[in-house]
């Protein structure tokens, strides 16, 4: 089965002439084949390690070259997902993998970790870099940040509207970065990359591809009568492809690497047909019946349309196909549900049978390679390589000889003379060809005179020439030995204290403590920018703390804030603000929500963006932290006390819990809404939902994080320890006022006897489970 590649191009005036890439999931070999058969232009898949779908079957590295051969034969590209954060102990294995990938025909790698971005940009320039959805890309500065790290494309946050996407696609094209948007599949309630729910509740980090989806769990029935109050419908932009084309999007992406092959084929085929309708400039179909035949939680395009309402929720995380089909009979109950289930079972069986028949003949194995050696004494050695698709020959630079003066010791052999050319020796010398998309099926010597010699270096050159031709003219790349950072063991660091506030009534702490004081800026910075500028202008000791999410005008307000205030230093959890701070020459510290867990992330930020320090993620444990080495003249920070943010959402989290008079979020909600609620899971664990003025909805853990041990566990590593004193109510009791609490923490950093025990008495209950478990 051979498909025609639809080339990617930057937008032209007539969007109908521009082809959009259809990017499909490939969780296993059959799904990859199904995506190709369904009409995908590209596939994203993961190996057994380093990818964000740990529950998918994934593929072993040994199968990759065969998959690449099959895909490329069918005009389909393959992108490899390396989209998790990488801990220090994995760096050597990661570099080994990158060295191997450099000599494959992989079309791109999808990346989240800043250290991996640095390694790729610095040492592996032949591998195309794609920014993962886990990077939460939603503003212009973030695209410029990734462009500086040589990213070729970026996946935009699911929460964005068409208008917001259009602006980012334009910025991307101005910076040679293609845009990619999810158009079908699961919706996350949280901004991707900013969800720690599964990590805190079970030790399965979403940033490591191990999300256990506690957001889709059943909870005790809420005031609104809901049992699955955080469960969103699936995303589907099936009817919005024309809008996305007009917005300048380059690639539309289908989610689903844990879905089976029949699902992948059905969805990909439906979107391929819709794209073809778009290219013909016909009216797009609104019939989603094919998409409803396979797993779904019903569909919404609320984020894309900019209508974030209560109808985006569904109080059932299971397959909605039967209910949808039963509704077409009248009512989705009783006999109609049973009838729908029977019909869907038959349909599923028919789809599976049909797709198996289509993908069955598709060979993803390596192609056979025959090597025929020929020549006589005094002539060059000729090697003819034959594959099912091509045939070519290469010649040695030296002539064959009947006797040899060549020692084998320099080539790894033993004795004084190279062996005669024979099948066993040539199989050994050319075995590297088996690491390509081909395997040596046969070695033929019928046209080769017997008892001949040639230097090993000539055979090595011939092997390289053959690999070059088999790889489409791509040179073999020698392994890169990336130097690892070395720690200065003799350094002595006396850590200082810093703290975070978000209320003007706490600004007085600037005059009552020697600790650095950070003040949190709101997510909706555009609405309160003038007031924030006034606050920092009159309180020079305050250090701005930028949130992780700043969309559209809120990001531009952040840029304006930097220009007008010109702070001596900032803390930012947003790479777009980091980029702008670097451009303006403002010193900046990378915040805890940039998910930094390895040394190369620190090097990345310092060398490329003039970063002067960084928070180490609270997701990793003592041993994982201990391995990290900081660059020279760089400070490390760590939060030892904070309410634990489990997730941040653009959706209203009260619709399904305590209710809301409004059906949809409007401009006033962001700036004016201030309320809270709790939900409790079936294990009796409560979670706190909080919305403060100017900020997105958040869910907090019921118990705060407190880690006093790290101060003595890891001396001479951190320059500052951080405490979060914002007024966030949880079940953790605080038995002292803020000035006294600051003094207690300062005593602990100073090494006062029993200070840690006193802190635990004043802050209880608490948890440090992430520091104990790690990721």
């Amino acid at each position: 089965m051979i498909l025609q590649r639809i080339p990617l191009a930057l937008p032209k005036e007539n969007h109908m002439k521009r082809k959009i890439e259809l990017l499909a999931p490939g969780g296993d070999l059959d799904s990859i084949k199904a995506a190709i058969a369904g009409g995908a232009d590209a596939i994203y898949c993961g190996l057994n390690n380093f990818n964000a779908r740990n529950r998918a079957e994934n593929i072993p590295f040994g199968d990759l070259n065969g998959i690449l051969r099959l895909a490329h034969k069918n005009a389909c590209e393959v992108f490899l997902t390396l989209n998790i954060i990488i801990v220090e102990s994995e760096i050597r294995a990661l570099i080994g993998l990158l060295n191997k990938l450099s000599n494959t025909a992989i079309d791109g790698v999808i990346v989240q970790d800043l250290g991996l971005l640095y390694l790729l940009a610095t040492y592996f320039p032949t591998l195309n870099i794609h920014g993962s959805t886990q990077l939460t890309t939603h503003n212009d500065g973030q695209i410029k940040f990734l462009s500086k790290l040589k990213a070729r494309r970026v996946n935009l946050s699911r929460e964005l509207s068409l208008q917001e996407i259009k602006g980012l696609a334009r910025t991307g094209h101005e910076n040679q970065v293609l845009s990619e948007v999810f158009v079908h599949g699961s919706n996350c309630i949280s901004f991707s990359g900013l969800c720690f729910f599964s990590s805190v509740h079970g030790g399965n980090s979403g940033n490591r591809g191990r999300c256990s989806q506690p957001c889709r769990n059943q909870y005790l029935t809420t005031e609104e009568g809901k049992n699955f109050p955080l469960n969103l419908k699936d995303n589907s932009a099936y009817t919005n492809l024309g809008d996305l084309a007009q917005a300048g999007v380059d690639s539309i992406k289908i989610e689903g690497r844990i879905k089976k092959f029949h699902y992948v084929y059905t969805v990909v085929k439906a979107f391929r047909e819709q794209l073809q309708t778009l290219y013909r400039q016909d009216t797009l179909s609104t019939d989603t019946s094919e998409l409803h035949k396979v797993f779904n939680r019903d569909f919404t395009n609320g984020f894309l349309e900019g209508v974030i309402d209560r109808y985006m929720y569904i109080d059932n995380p299971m397959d909605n196909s039967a209910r949808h089909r039963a509704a077409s009979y009248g009512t989705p109950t009783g006999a109609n549900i049973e009838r729908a289930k029977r019909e869907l079972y038959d349909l599923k069986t028919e789809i599976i049978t049909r797709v198996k028949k289509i993908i069955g003949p598709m060979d993803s194995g390596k192609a056979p390679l025959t090597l025929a050696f020929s020549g006589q004494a005094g002539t060059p050695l000729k090697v003819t390589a034959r594959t099912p698709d091509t045939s070519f020959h290469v010649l040695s630079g030296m002539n064959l000889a009947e006797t040899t003066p060549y020692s084998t010791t320099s080539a790894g052999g033993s004795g004084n003379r190279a062996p005669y050319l024979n099948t066993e020796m040539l199989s050994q010398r050319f075995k590297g060809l088996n690491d390509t998309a081909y395997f040596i099926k046969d070695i033929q010597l019928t046209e080769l005179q017997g008892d001949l010699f040639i230097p090993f270096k000539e055979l090595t050159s011939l092997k390289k020439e053959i690999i070059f031709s088999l790889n489409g003219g791509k040179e073999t790349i020698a392994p890169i030995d990336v130097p690892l950072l070395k720690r200065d063991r003799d350094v002595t660091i006396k850590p200082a204290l810093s703290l975070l506030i978000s209320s003007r009534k706490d600004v007085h702490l600037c005059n009552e403590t020697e600790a650095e004081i950070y003040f949190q800026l709101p997510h909706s910075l555009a609405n309160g920018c003038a007031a924030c500028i006034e606050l920092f202008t009159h309180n020079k000791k305050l250090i701005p703390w930028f949130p992780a999410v700043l969309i559209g005008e809120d990001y531009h307000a952040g840029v304006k804030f930097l220009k007008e205030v010109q702070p001596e230093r900032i803390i930012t959890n947003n790479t777009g603000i980091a980029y702008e701070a670097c451009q303006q020459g403002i010193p900046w510290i990378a915040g805890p929500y940039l998910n930094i867990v390895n040394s190369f992330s620190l090097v990345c930020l310092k060398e490329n963006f003039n970063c002067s320090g960084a928070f180490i993620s609270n997701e990793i444990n003592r041993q994982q932290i201990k391995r990290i080495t900081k660059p020279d003249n760089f400070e490390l920070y760590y939060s030892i006390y904070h309410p634990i943010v489990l997730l941040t959402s653009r959706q209203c989290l009260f619709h399904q819990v305590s209710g809301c008079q409004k059906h949809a979020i409007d401009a006033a909600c962001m700036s004016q809404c201030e309320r809270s609620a709790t939900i409790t899971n079936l294990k009796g664990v409560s979670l706190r939902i909080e919305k403060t003025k100017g900020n997105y909805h958040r869910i907090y853990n019921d118990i705060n994080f407190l880690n006093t041990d790290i101060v003595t566990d890891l001396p001479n590593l951190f320059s500052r320890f951080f405490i979060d004193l914002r007024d966030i109510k949880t079940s953790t009791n605080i038995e002292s006022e803020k000035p006294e609490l600051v003094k207690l923490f300062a005593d602990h950093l100073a090494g006062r006897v029993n200070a840690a025990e006193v802190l635990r008495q004043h802050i209880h209950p608490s948890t440090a489970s992430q520091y104990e478990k790690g990721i």
Side-chain angles (χ1 to χ4, degrees):
M1 180 178 183
I2 307 297
L3 305 177
Q4 184 178 358
R5 171 77 54 85
I6 297 176
L8 270 180
L10 296 184
K12 298 179 180 178
E13 290 184 7
N14 185 345
H15 71 270
M16 297 304 178
K17 294 181 180 179
R18 185 174 65 88
K19 305 304 181 183
I20 301 174
E21 176 188 84
L22 177 57
L23 177 56
D28 58 25
L29 184 54
D30 282 346
S31 294
I32 290 170
K33 292 178 179 180
I36 294 171
D41 297 306
I43 294 165
Y44 62 103
C45 59
L47 297 174
N48 293 332
N49 296 314
F50 302 122
N51 87 89
R53 282 297 179 270
N54 198 256
R55 291 187 296 152
E57 185 174 322
N58 297 310
I59 58 176
F61 185 86
D63 292 348
L64 180 60
N65 279 313
I67 289 169
L68 290 172
R69 186 184 70 84
L70 172 66
H72 291 164
K73 182 179 178 180
N74 285 279
C76 185
E77 294 189 317
V78 179
F79 308 138
L80 194 67
T81 54
L82 301 176
N83 53 338
I84 62 169
I85 52 177
I86 314 291
V87 296
E88 196 75 18
S89 61
E90 297 171 324
I91 293 293
R92 287 192 181 277
L94 175 67
I95 292 170
L97 174 60
L98 296 179
N99 274 312
K100 292 199 292 184
L101 289 174
S102 294
N103 286 307
T104 69
I106 197 75
D107 298 292
V109 289
I110 303 172
V111 180
Q112 173 189 10
D113 187 85
L114 296 178
L116 177 50
L117 275 162
Y118 172 82
L119 289 171
L120 287 164
T122 306
Y123 298 102
F124 301 94
T126 62
L127 295 175
N128 291 328
I129 303 170
H130 296 188
S132 168
T133 188
Q134 292 292 108
L135 285 166
T136 330
T137 304
H138 54 266
N139 65 45
D140 294 338
Q142 290 175 306
I143 290 177
K144 295 173 183 177
F145 179 95
L146 290 170
S147 176
K148 190 168 182 178
L149 292 174
K150 302 180 182 178
R152 297 280 296 275
R153 75 159 68 183
V154 61
N155 183 278
L156 301 179
S157 294
R158 287 180 177 90
E159 291 80 3
L160 300 176
S161 69
L162 281 163
Q163 192 61 32
E164 290 161 346
I165 289 169
K166 182 177 182 179
L168 294 177
R170 181 173 59 250
T171 299
H173 296 149
E174 291 169 355
N175 290 272
Q176 301 305 305
V177 177
L178 298 174
S179 59
E180 181 183 282
V181 172
F182 274 112
V183 294
H184 195 84
S186 296
N187 262 324
C188 290
I189 191 69
S190 174
F191 285 99
S192 296
L194 298 176
C195 184
F196 308 97
F197 200 167
S198 180
S199 177
V200 175
H201 288 259
N204 298 308
S205 172
N207 286 316
R208 294 283 288 176
R210 297 172 183 153
C211 179
S212 57
Q213 298 188 334
C215 57
R216 299 201 188 276
N217 287 350
Q218 185 174 352
Y219 291 79
L220 298 182
T221 305
T222 68
E223 293 177 37
E224 286 293 292
K226 307 301 181 181
N227 296 314
F228 301 90
L230 304 178
N231 190 63
L232 288 178
K233 294 177 182 177
D234 286 351
N235 168 42
S236 188
Y238 182 72
T239 60
N240 297 102
L241 297 193
D243 301 320
L244 290 167
Q246 288 182 320
V249 169
D250 301 292
S251 176
I252 57 172
K253 187 172 187 177
I254 296 168
E255 184 273 344
R257 279 198 290 133
I258 59 174
K259 301 292 199 306
K260 296 302 181 182
F261 67 91
H262 68 282
Y263 172 95
V264 172
Y265 177 84
T266 302
V267 175
V268 170
K269 187 172 183 292
F271 272 85
R272 167 52 62 203
E273 291 173 353
Q274 188 80 315
L275 279 175
Q276 295 305 122
T277 301
L278 176 68
Y279 300 149
R280 292 193 303 268
Q281 303 190 38
D282 292 340
T283 302
L284 292 181
S285 172
T286 58
D287 180 5
T288 58
S289 58
E290 286 298 308
L291 300 175
H292 278 284
K293 289 179 181 178
V294 291
F295 181 92
N296 68 85
R297 301 182 184 93
D298 205 355
F299 299 125
T300 176
N301 59 357
F303 285 131
L304 202 62
E305 295 282 359
V307 182
I308 305 174
D309 59 21
R310 66 172 69 237
Y311 306 111
M312 291 178 66
Y313 287 98
I314 184 170
D315 198 39
N316 178 11
M318 308 305 289
D319 191 355
N320 188 64
S321 300
R323 289 186 62 82
H324 178 269
R325 193 175 189 86
S328 68
Y329 308 144
T331 56
T333 56
N336 284 341
I337 288 281
E338 292 306 311
R339 174 188 168 189
K341 285 181 177 179
R342 289 193 301 271
E343 291 180 355
L344 284 169
Y345 179 84
D346 291 340
L347 276 171
K348 179 179 176 181
T349 302
E350 186 274 327
I351 294 171
I352 290 174
T353 302
R354 177 161 44 90
V355 178
K356 278 186 175 180
K357 192 173 294 186
I358 295 171
I359 68 175
M362 299 173 71
D363 182 11
S364 64
K366 294 184 177 184
L369 172 65
T370 296
L371 298 179
F373 294 82
S374 59
Q376 299 178 2
T379 67
L381 175 63
K382 179 180 179 180
V383 186
T384 301
R386 300 189 188 95
T387 74
D389 304 315
T390 188
S391 176
F392 60 90
H393 71 265
V394 294
L395 297 172
S396 63
M398 294 181 65
N399 291 336
L400 293 159
E402 293 183 329
T403 59
T404 176
Y406 307 113
S407 168
T408 61
T409 54
S410 62
S414 60
N416 296 320
R417 297 168 65 85
Y420 293 113
L421 296 177
N422 57 52
T423 301
E424 182 180 356
M425 186 267 275
L426 292 171
S427 296
Q428 181 66 22
R429 302 307 299 181
F430 284 82
K431 67 179 182 180
L433 298 177
N434 293 318
D435 294 328
T436 68
Y438 303 84
F439 71 95
I440 300 175
K441 180 183 180 181
D442 189 22
I443 289 180
Q444 299 174 355
L445 306 180
T446 54
E447 300 297 321
L448 180 66
Q449 178 185 330
D451 299 340
L452 295 179
F453 302 91
I454 200 165
F456 283 145
K457 66 178 183 179
E458 287 293 310
L459 296 178
T460 300
S461 295
L462 290 169
K463 179 183 68 176
K464 289 181 178 179
E465 286 188 58
I466 294 172
I467 291 175
F468 177 81
S469 295
L470 292 176
N471 284 346
K474 181 181 177 181
E475 293 279 1
T476 301
I477 299 171
I480 302 295
D481 186 15
V482 178
L484 302 182
L485 276 68
K486 294 182 180 180
R487 179 179 297 179
D488 184 354
R489 301 290 180 180
D490 297 327
V491 67
T492 299
I493 299 174
K494 183 179 179 181
L497 186 66
S498 57
L499 58 94
L500 175 65
I501 59 175
S502 60
S503 173
R504 287 174 180 256
K505 67 181 177 62
D506 291 327
V507 173
H508 68 87
L509 290 172
C510 290
N511 301 316
E512 298 178 18
T513 177
E514 295 180 0
E516 276 191 348
I517 298 183
Y518 312 139
F519 191 97
Q520 178 188 293
L521 296 171
H523 289 115
S524 62
L525 189 52
N527 289 329
C529 189
C532 289
I533 290 172
E534 182 271 335
L535 173 66
F536 282 87
T537 301
H538 289 86
N539 296 275
K540 296 295 185 181
K541 289 186 178 180
L542 286 181
I543 297 171
W545 174 284
F546 285 86
V549 180
L550 287 168
I551 298 173
E553 290 304 312
D554 295 318
Y555 165 72
H556 295 297
V559 174
K560 177 183 177 182
F561 175 93
L562 291 177
K563 289 179 179 177
E564 295 198 18
V565 175
Q566 286 293 303
E568 293 185 6
R569 179 165 50 158
I570 68 168
I571 315 294
T572 180
N573 294 283
N574 186 284
T575 55
I577 292 296
Y579 175 86
E580 187 61 33
C582 177
Q583 294 298 107
Q584 294 190 35
I586 297 172
W588 67 280
I589 307 297
Y593 299 110
L594 291 186
N595 298 321
I596 293 171
V597 297
N598 61 64
S599 305
F600 282 106
S601 292
L602 306 177
V603 176
C604 171
L605 296 177
K606 182 183 179 184
E607 290 189 3
N608 290 283
F609 303 100
N610 200 31
C611 180
S612 55
F615 278 78
I616 297 302
S617 169
N618 281 96
E619 282 202 272
I620 57 178
N621 64 27
R622 177 182 180 275
Q623 289 301 320
Q624 291 167 336
I625 295 171
K626 185 178 181 180
R627 292 175 179 267
I628 295 175
T629 299
K630 69 180 184 68
D632 293 335
N633 302 313
F634 194 91
E635 294 186 331
L636 293 187
Y637 293 60
Y638 183 84
S639 177
I640 55 175
Y641 172 68
H642 56 268
I644 303 172
V645 178
L646 297 179
L647 62 85
T648 302
S649 181
R650 202 175 191 184
Q651 176 58 275
C652 174
L653 300 180
F654 298 108
H655 282 314
Q656 304 289 89
V657 179
S658 53
C660 182
Q661 293 179 345
K662 298 179 180 179
H663 289 291
I665 291 177
D666 59 26
C669 295
M670 188 70 161
S671 59
Q672 300 299 320
C673 179
E674 187 169 32
R675 58 186 297 197
S676 61
T678 59
I679 55 174
T680 303
N681 66 22
L682 299 187
K683 295 180 181 179
V685 178
S686 294
L687 308 171
R688 182 175 180 82
I689 300 171
E690 178 156 314
K691 168 69 176 69
T692 56
K693 290 181 179 180
N695 292 302
Y696 292 114
H697 293 70
R698 284 180 171 143
I699 296 182
Y700 287 90
N701 195 51
D702 197 39
I703 298 173
N704 293 358
F705 180 90
L706 176 64
N707 179 6
T708 57
D709 292 342
I710 193 171
V711 176
T712 52
D713 283 350
L714 300 173
N716 302 318
L717 180 60
F718 292 99
S719 298
R720 287 194 173 272
F721 288 109
F722 165 91
I723 59 175
D724 185 345
L725 297 185
R726 292 174 299 159
D727 297 317
I728 298 168
K729 184 174 176 56
T730 65
S731 292
T732 295
N733 297 306
I734 313 297
E735 304 291 351
S736 57
E737 298 298 322
K738 290 178 183 178
E740 182 183 356
L741 203 60
V742 173
K743 184 179 183 302
L744 291 174
F745 276 103
D747 287 345
H748 180 49
L749 297 194
R752 297 285 174 84
V753 178
N754 297 326
E757 180 59 32
V758 173
L759 274 171
R760 286 191 287 270
Q761 292 172 0
H762 282 252
I763 302 172
H764 63 88
S766 65
T767 179
S769 61
Q770 289 174 291
Y771 182 67
E772 296 159 5
K773 294 179 182 177
I775 56 177

